[in-house]
Amino acid sequence: MTNKPGWLPNLVLISDYDGDWDKYIETLYRFFRRDFFESKPSFRNVSVGITKHPYSQGKEATFWHLISEGKIEEERIPDFERCKRIRWPRAIIENYSDSVVQVWETMRGREKRILLRFIFEKDDYLVVLAEHKGMILLITAYLVTWQSQKRKLQQEFERYKADTAL
């Protein structure tokens, strides 16, 4: 068994907060604020920002995208797998050149996305960035769980590598 990369933070578990959702959410939010407000990561020497609107419960949209799931903003529900990995997006962004991170660009609709896929042992975690007006925005991040989604991402990455190798 290999050790996890030294740069990867530990999981933040709700059990460490006695199962208290209010304490847990505030702890997650403090990590988010520290990682994306108090100092900003950069990707390829470009500052990484977040989407603030729409605010919900006094917290920015990107925060909710990092800890919850759902297509309709007002109906997103907490995803504990996302929650406990709240400290991972910044670490993966800052360590994108590590061999355990696949990086590629793709179009989603009319928007260019930069995908950072961290694959280590049982973890398959995707960080989604977007180029927007000369900066990079963190869109979302989540654990990839479906085999069909893993295959699709791997195929997309392989196509990108082949296309950029020309």
Side-chain angles (χ1 to χ4, degrees):
M1 173 107 62
T2 339
N3 291 331
K4 73 176 186 169
W7 52 260
L8 189 69
N10 291 328
L11 299 175
V12 181
L13 306 174
I14 193 168
S15 59
D16 294 338
Y17 300 88
D18 301 318
D20 183 328
W21 174 251
D22 293 330
K23 272 198 245 177
Y24 188 53
I25 193 89
E26 289 310 315
T27 299
L28 298 176
Y29 189 62
R30 275 194 303 276
F31 281 124
F32 172 75
R33 296 281 306 176
R34 187 194 68 200
D35 288 350
F36 294 99
F37 281 90
E38 292 172 18
S39 68
K40 291 184 181 224
S42 64
F43 176 76
R44 296 180 178 157
N45 297 316
V46 179
S47 180
V48 176
I50 57 112
T51 302
K52 294 180 180 179
H53 300 284
Y55 279 92
S56 177
Q57 301 173 47
K59 296 171 177 60
E60 298 80 7
T62 299
F63 172 72
W64 295 111
H65 277 262
L66 294 179
I67 69 157
S68 63
E69 64 180 343
K71 295 194 184 295
I72 301 170
E73 290 294 325
E74 301 79 28
E75 297 176 11
R76 294 181 70 85
I77 57 170
D79 177 336
F80 286 98
E81 293 302 320
R82 288 183 183 210
C83 288
K84 65 187 179 183
R85 290 171 175 81
I86 189 69
R87 299 179 62 205
W88 286 20
R90 181 181 179 129
I92 291 168
I93 291 166
E94 291 181 329
N95 292 281
Y96 71 89
S97 59
D98 192 306
S99 63
V100 294
V101 181
Q102 296 176 335
V103 180
W104 72 99
E105 297 174 3
T106 190
M107 295 300 288
R108 294 287 191 259
R110 295 189 315 202
E111 294 188 8
K112 184 180 196 177
R113 294 289 195 246
I114 303 163
L115 305 179
L116 287 70
R117 185 177 178 204
F118 170 75
I119 304 171
F120 183 77
E121 294 180 354
K122 66 181 183 344
D123 287 309
D124 192 331
Y125 187 78
L126 189 69
V127 176
V128 181
L129 306 174
E131 286 186 1
H132 184 73
K133 297 181 182 176
M135 62 183 290
I136 304 286
L137 291 175
L138 172 59
I139 302 299
T140 193
Y142 55 90
L143 200 61
V144 181
T145 55
W146 297 95
Q147 288 304 317
S148 59
Q149 187 181 27
K150 291 178 183 188
R151 277 192 306 275
K152 180 181 171 189
L153 289 170
Q154 190 61 37
Q155 290 168 351
E156 191 176 74
F157 173 70
E158 296 297 334
R159 276 193 309 275
Y160 176 80
K161 274 190 2 186
D163 290 347
T164 56
L166 300 175

